[in-house]
Amino acid sequence: MKKFKFGEIKIKKVEPGQLTDRLLLLNLYITQGLTLIIGLIWILFQKRNPFELLIFPESVHFVAWGIGLAAVMLVVDYLLTHIVPEESMDDGGINDLLFRNRPVWHIVLIAAIVSVCEELLFRGAIQNSIGPYWTSILFALIHVRYLRHFVPTGWVFLSSYGLGYIYIQSGSLWAPILCHFFIDLFSGLVIRYRRES
C-alpha cells in the first residue's frame, strides 16, 4: 500500500469556469464541515455546551429579529444591484454556478447547512471571544470571492455585523441562523429562476 504524503498535495487557483458541479459541491460541503467542526471545538474550549446554543427559545421573538433583518438586507441588496455597476458586485460567478441549475430542495438544503455551520462558528463561537466587530472583519475575509471589490466586501461586513447584533438583542443563535438561511435561500432562488427565464 502506497503511503500518503502531505507534501505531494498541490494547491492551485481554479477559475470558476474550470469547476465541475461535483467539485463545487464537494468544496462547499467540505468547507462547511470544517466550519462546523472548528465551531464545535472552539465552543468546547470556551467550556460551553454547543447543544445549548441550539435549543429553541421559549419566546419566538427571535423569528421577528431574523426575518426582520433578512427583509432589510434583501431590500438593501436589491438597491445595491440596481445602483452599483454589475462588475463591482461580481463574485467571480460562484453563486451562479452553485445555484443556477440546482433543484429547489437542494437550494433549501445548502441554505440550511451554510446558515447553521457559519452562524455556529461566527456568532456562537468567535463573537463570544472577540465581539461582533472583529468577527465581522473575519467573516468578510473568509468570503474571499468578494474581496476583489469594495462594495460587496463592505456589504458582507455590514451583514455580518447585523447578524451579530440580532444575536445579542434576541439572545438566541436561531435569530442569525434564520436570517442567514432566508438570505441564502432567497438569493439562490432568484439566481435559479432568473437563469431559467
Side-chain angles (χ1 to χ4, degrees):
M1 188 164 107
K2 188 178 176 183
K3 288 186 177 180
F4 180 77
K5 296 179 183 175
F6 283 101
E8 293 178 359
I9 295 175
K10 294 181 181 172
I11 298 173
K12 66 177 187 172
K13 184 178 178 181
V14 177
E15 295 298 321
Q18 297 173 295
L19 286 172
T20 63
D21 191 55
R22 184 169 182 257
L23 185 60
L24 182 65
L25 287 176
L26 186 65
N27 183 282
L28 172 77
Y29 289 125
I30 287 173
T31 56
Q32 292 307 310
L34 289 172
T35 300
L36 179 64
I37 291 166
I38 293 167
L40 291 172
I41 292 170
W42 195 316
I43 291 166
L44 290 171
F45 273 118
Q46 294 171 340
K47 296 184 170 44
R48 296 160 63 220
N49 183 344
F51 298 106
E52 286 179 6
L53 287 173
L54 295 173
I55 293 173
F56 276 105
E58 291 179 16
S59 169
V60 293
H61 79 282
F62 76 92
V63 174
W65 281 106
I67 293 176
L69 181 60
V72 169
M73 289 169 66
L74 288 169
V75 167
V76 172
D77 191 56
Y78 176 80
L79 292 173
L80 282 174
T81 58
H82 286 81
I83 295 170
V84 177
E86 190 175 340
E87 62 274 3
S88 297
M89 296 295 285
D90 181 32
D91 73 336
I94 298 296
N95 286 340
D96 276 350
L97 286 174
L98 186 58
F99 294 119
R100 77 174 162 220
N101 296 319
R102 196 81 44 218
V104 172
W105 69 265
H106 204 170
I107 294 172
V108 172
L109 180 67
I110 289 170
I113 289 171
V114 169
S115 61
V116 170
C117 294
E118 290 188 3
E119 293 310 313
L120 190 68
L121 174 62
F122 286 94
R123 257 47 69 185
I126 298 174
Q127 182 168 310
N128 189 62
S129 296
I130 62 176
Y133 177 77
W134 291 106
T135 300
S136 298
I137 288 176
L138 192 57
F139 190 78
L141 289 175
I142 68 136
H143 287 80
V144 174
R145 66 186 187 269
Y146 297 113
L147 292 178
R148 291 179 295 161
H149 302 289
F150 174 78
V151 175
T153 302
W155 179 232
V156 170
F157 170 83
L158 289 173
S159 299
S160 174
Y161 198 83
L163 291 166
Y165 178 79
I166 65 170
Y167 176 43
I168 293 167
Q169 294 302 312
S170 69
S172 171
L173 191 60
W174 285 105
I177 288 173
L178 188 65
C179 179
H180 198 148
F181 171 77
F182 276 115
I183 294 293
D184 287 357
L185 176 63
F186 187 82
S187 300
L189 291 174
V190 164
I191 289 169
R192 184 192 193 284
Y193 287 106
R194 184 186 66 214
R195 292 294 172 190
E196 267 190 6
S197 60

